[in-house]
């Protein structure tokens, strides 16, 4: 693979269910991010990780958790999904350790919570 | 608060030139990005400006004025494939990207 992959591509989820969105990159970027994108709004940062083993909260972290056990993977978990979490979720990465601030995005996961 | 403003939608004709404006008010500034996003796809990187002036890259150019909190993306020789949303984003003092809502560009033949 080359770049960032996300799984699943799309999902319909019943409210109250637990869900993990997967994100894997093979570019050895140190930093990774999770965003949600809703119609009429800009991308909003949920959580980020500057390096393996560390994570931080973004603008809209409530209801979401992340982990960064290694450089390549950055899963996002919805512990108990609610309809307001219906959105398109994008994972991104950047090589900030070498001064690169450009973020590269995965293809996205479209989530519908009913 | 932090704010990025750009027009919601613009229409242009194939072969013409269009300028998409972006104004920003953020806590600190460490650069401004433009991304292109086709419907149903991920954003892709177009340009990065950190110093005042014009950066040209083929048919696309991006301009920055830090004193005015202003940038624009200029697209020349428009093609139908340029129909997409264009996202402006500013890297703030915490090195987090603050995103505008995007400008949907419609190209007509």
């Amino acid at each position: 693979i080359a770049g960032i992959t996300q799984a699943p591509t799309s999902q319909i989820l019943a409210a109250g269910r637990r869900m993990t969105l997967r994100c894997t990159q093979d570019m050895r970027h140190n930093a990774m991010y999770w965003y949600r994108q809703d119609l009429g709004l800009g991308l909003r940062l949920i959580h980020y990780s500057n390096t393996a083993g560390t994570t931080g909260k973004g603008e809209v972290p409530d209801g979401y958790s992340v982990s960064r056990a290694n450089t390549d993977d950055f899963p996002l978990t919805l512990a108990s999904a609610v309809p307001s979490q219906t959105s398109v979720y994008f994972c991104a990465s950047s090589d900030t350790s070498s001064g690169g601030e450009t973020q590269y995005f995965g293809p996205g996961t479209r989530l519908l919570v009913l | 608060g932090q704010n990025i403003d750009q027009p919601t939608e613009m229409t242009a004709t194939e072969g013409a030139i269009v300028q998409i404006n972006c104004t920003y008010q953020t806590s600190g500034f460490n650069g401004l990005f433009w991304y292109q996003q086709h419907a149903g796809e991920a954003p892709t990187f177009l340009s990065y400006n950190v110093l005042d002036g014009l950066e040209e890259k083929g048919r696309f150019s991006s301009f920055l004025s830090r004193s005015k909190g202003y940038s624009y993306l200029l697209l020349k020789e428009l093609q139908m494939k340029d129909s997409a949303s264009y996202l402006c984003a500013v890297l703030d003092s915490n090195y987090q990207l603050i995103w505008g809502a995007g400008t949907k560009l419609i190209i007509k033949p």
Side-chain angles (χ1 to χ4, degrees):
Chain A
I1 57 173
I4 302 180
T5 59
Q6 293 184 236
T9 303
S10 64
Q11 182 75 42
I12 300 174
L13 189 66
R17 296 296 296 269
R18 180 185 179 90
M19 174 79 191
T20 295
L21 309 185
R22 300 185 298 279
C23 174
T24 300
Q25 54 108 354
D26 66 355
M27 298 178 283
R28 307 304 293 173
H29 286 174
N30 63 291
M32 296 186 74
Y33 314 84
W34 274 106
Y35 291 95
R36 60 178 289 172
Q37 186 175 40
D38 302 291
L39 198 62
L41 299 176
L43 288 160
R44 292 184 292 169
L45 184 65
I46 304 170
H47 285 286
Y48 65 94
S49 168
N50 288 328
T51 190
T54 69
T55 62
K57 294 182 180 180
E59 179 186 357
V60 289
D62 294 343
Y64 306 94
S65 64
V66 292
S67 62
R68 187 91 183 275
N70 56 61
T71 297
D72 299 344
D73 301 299
F74 191 42
L76 175 74
T77 297
L78 288 67
S80 179
V82 294
S84 63
Q85 292 177 312
T86 292
S87 189
V88 181
Y89 291 86
F90 287 104
C91 179
S93 72
S94 61
D95 184 16
T96 61
S97 62
S98 63
E101 300 295 341
T102 302
Q103 294 184 13
Y104 298 92
F105 286 79
T109 293
R110 285 142 191 84
L111 182 65
L112 175 61
V113 182
L114 300 175
Chain B
Q2 309 205 87
N3 196 49
I4 310 282
D5 285 320
Q6 48 181 136
T8 302
E9 187 175 295
M10 299 182 70
T11 302
T13 304
E14 189 177 16
I17 299 172
V18 71
Q19 178 175 311
I20 303 174
N21 296 325
C22 171
T23 57
Y24 63 89
Q25 292 175 307
T26 57
S27 57
F29 179 86
N30 284 298
L32 185 144
F33 290 84
W34 284 97
Y35 279 76
Q36 181 190 59
Q37 186 177 24
H38 285 101
E41 298 183 6
T44 56
F45 169 75
L46 285 178
S47 68
Y48 171 63
N49 294 68
V50 65
L51 300 176
D52 289 352
L54 187 68
E55 294 275 346
E56 297 187 76
K57 196 183 291 186
R59 294 189 299 115
F60 292 10
S61 302
S62 56
F63 172 84
L64 175 66
S65 169
R66 288 172 298 171
S67 63
K68 296 182 179 178
Y70 168 71
S71 173
Y72 67 73
L73 181 69
L74 192 72
L75 291 74
K76 304 175 184 176
E77 302 169 12
L78 286 169
Q79 301 176 9
M80 297 303 293
K81 67 179 182 179
D82 297 330
S83 292
S85 288
Y86 292 86
L87 314 180
C88 174
V90 172
L91 200 62
D92 72 6
S93 57
N94 293 319
Y95 286 86
Q96 288 193 357
L97 273 178
I98 309 301
W99 294 83
T103 299
K104 182 178 180 180
L105 179 63
I106 299 168
I107 310 295
K108 295 186 175 180

